[in-house]
């Protein structure tokens, strides 16, 4: 499959594409309009990948975030409300509630009072990890929080709960490739679901996921999207 990397995007992800892709070219976001209408896969930002879908006539999947089958693994219930329901004066750095637009990476300039928003009570996490899942198999893990990596940290990841999330999601129709973000609570020490990230566009964190496996995860997800619903 032809890979098109985004000019100026994160060097780690684009390096993975150049190193392990069969045929690789690059383009800017604006340059997508000049690319073929089919037959290639983007590696870049959400905006770049979203534009690539639209250009190729592919239907963007509904956001994953909190699949119903594993929502009970989250520290707090996430309710689909609207931006008007977010506390007045809230910003993404405000720790009164956790809130994010339903549509992945929706630019704040497009938020209106009616914009669908996920809202949940704020929960304080310590270590946070991204697991890379390809066709039901964990192919790597990277840590993405700002906490110091201390081997004596009493907040230990519960892999049993992580595997339970992966297995349950797989039984209930997980996509071919996705990221599972989990965190160890700084409040009760338990491991919780933070969110699920669709594999058509997401970042690689330094850890145990080999760049080749990261790229293959993206590929199987894009191939699935190309096949259409079902």
């Amino acid at each position: 499959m032809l890979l098109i990397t985004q000019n100026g995007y994160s060097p780690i992800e684009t390096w993975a594409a150049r190193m392990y892709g069969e045929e690789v070219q690059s383009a800017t976001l604006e340059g997508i309009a000049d690319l073929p209408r089919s037959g290639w896969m983007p590696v870049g930002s959400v905006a770049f990948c979203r534009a690539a879908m639209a250009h190729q006539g592919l239907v963007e999947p509904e956001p994953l975030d909190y699949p119903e089958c594993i929502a009970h693994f989250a520290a707090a219930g996430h309710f689909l409300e609207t931006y008007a329901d977010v506390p007045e004066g809230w910003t993404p750095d405000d720790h009164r509630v956790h809130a994010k637009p339903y549509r992945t990476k929706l630019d704040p300039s497009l938020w209106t009072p009616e914009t669908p928003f996920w809202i949940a009570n704020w929960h304080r996490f310590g270590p946070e990890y991204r697991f890379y899942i390809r066709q039901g198999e964990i192919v790597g893990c990277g840590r993405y929080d700002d906490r110091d990596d201390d081997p004596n940290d009493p907040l230990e990841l519960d892999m049993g709960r992580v595997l339970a999330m992966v297995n349950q999601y797989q039984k209930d129709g997980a996509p071919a490739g996705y990221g599972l973000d989990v965190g160890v609570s700084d409040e009760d020490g338990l491991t919780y679901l933070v969110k699920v990230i669709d594999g058509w566009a997401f970042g690689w964190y330094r850890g145990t996921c080999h760049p080749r496996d990261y790229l293959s995860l993206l590929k199987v997800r894009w191939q699935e999207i190309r096949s259409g619903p079902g």
Side-chain angles (χ1 to χ4, degrees):
M1 180 186 295
L2 172 63
L3 304 182
I4 304 291
T5 62
Q6 181 179 8
N7 284 344
Y9 185 59
S10 171
I12 299 252
E13 288 85 348
T14 52
W15 175 85
R18 292 195 305 272
M19 182 62 66
Y20 298 106
E22 296 85 10
E23 183 181 359
V24 185
Q25 299 175 15
S26 63
T28 62
L29 178 60
E30 296 74 19
I32 286 178
D34 299 322
L35 294 174
R37 290 286 181 178
S38 64
W40 57 275
M41 182 190 97
V43 178
S45 66
V46 168
F48 186 79
C49 293
R50 180 170 278 147
M53 279 191 203
H55 182 69
Q56 297 183 74
L58 300 174
V59 177
E60 181 180 333
E62 287 294 306
L64 302 178
D65 293 309
Y66 312 105
E68 185 175 350
C69 63
I70 57 172
H72 60 283
F73 285 104
H78 289 75
F79 299 97
L80 193 55
E81 308 284 354
T82 67
Y83 185 43
D85 297 305
V86 178
E88 186 176 354
W90 173 87
T91 70
D93 296 323
D94 185 345
H95 293 178
R96 287 178 291 169
V97 297
H98 175 71
K100 64 189 292 289
Y102 175 74
R103 188 168 190 238
T104 304
K105 299 287 187 180
L106 182 66
D107 191 279
S109 65
L110 301 177
W111 298 356
T112 71
E114 294 76 30
T115 299
F117 251 68
W118 286 110
I119 302 176
N121 292 330
W122 184 264
H123 193 91
R124 190 176 67 253
F125 285 103
E128 294 182 80
Y129 304 85
R130 172 164 296 175
F131 285 87
Y132 299 83
I133 319 296
R134 182 189 61 206
Q135 296 174 322
E137 176 189 3
I138 296 175
V139 295
C141 173
R143 186 165 167 177
Y144 63 89
D145 62 276
D146 296 327
R147 194 180 179 109
D148 291 335
D149 190 6
D150 181 0
N152 299 314
D153 193 332
L155 298 178
E156 295 185 0
L157 179 70
D158 184 344
M159 275 302 300
R161 277 177 66 85
V162 174
L163 289 171
M165 295 179 208
V166 173
N167 292 336
Q168 184 61 56
Y169 195 21
Q170 188 67 17
K171 290 178 183 177
D172 283 71
Y178 66 94
L180 181 77
D181 284 0
V182 303
V184 184
S185 172
D186 214 6
E187 299 178 13
D188 61 20
L190 298 179
T191 297
Y192 291 105
L193 169 69
V194 174
K195 64 179 180 297
V196 174
I197 311 95
D198 204 323
W200 56 264
F202 73 139
W204 180 87
Y205 293 114
R206 188 175 300 279
T208 63
C209 187
H210 194 283
R212 179 173 46 232
D213 289 323
Y214 166 79
L215 185 63
S216 70
L217 187 161
L218 298 182
K219 284 184 176 180
V220 297
R221 181 54 177 145
W222 273 93
Q223 288 166 350
E224 185 176 52
I225 291 172
R226 286 182 187 286
S227 70

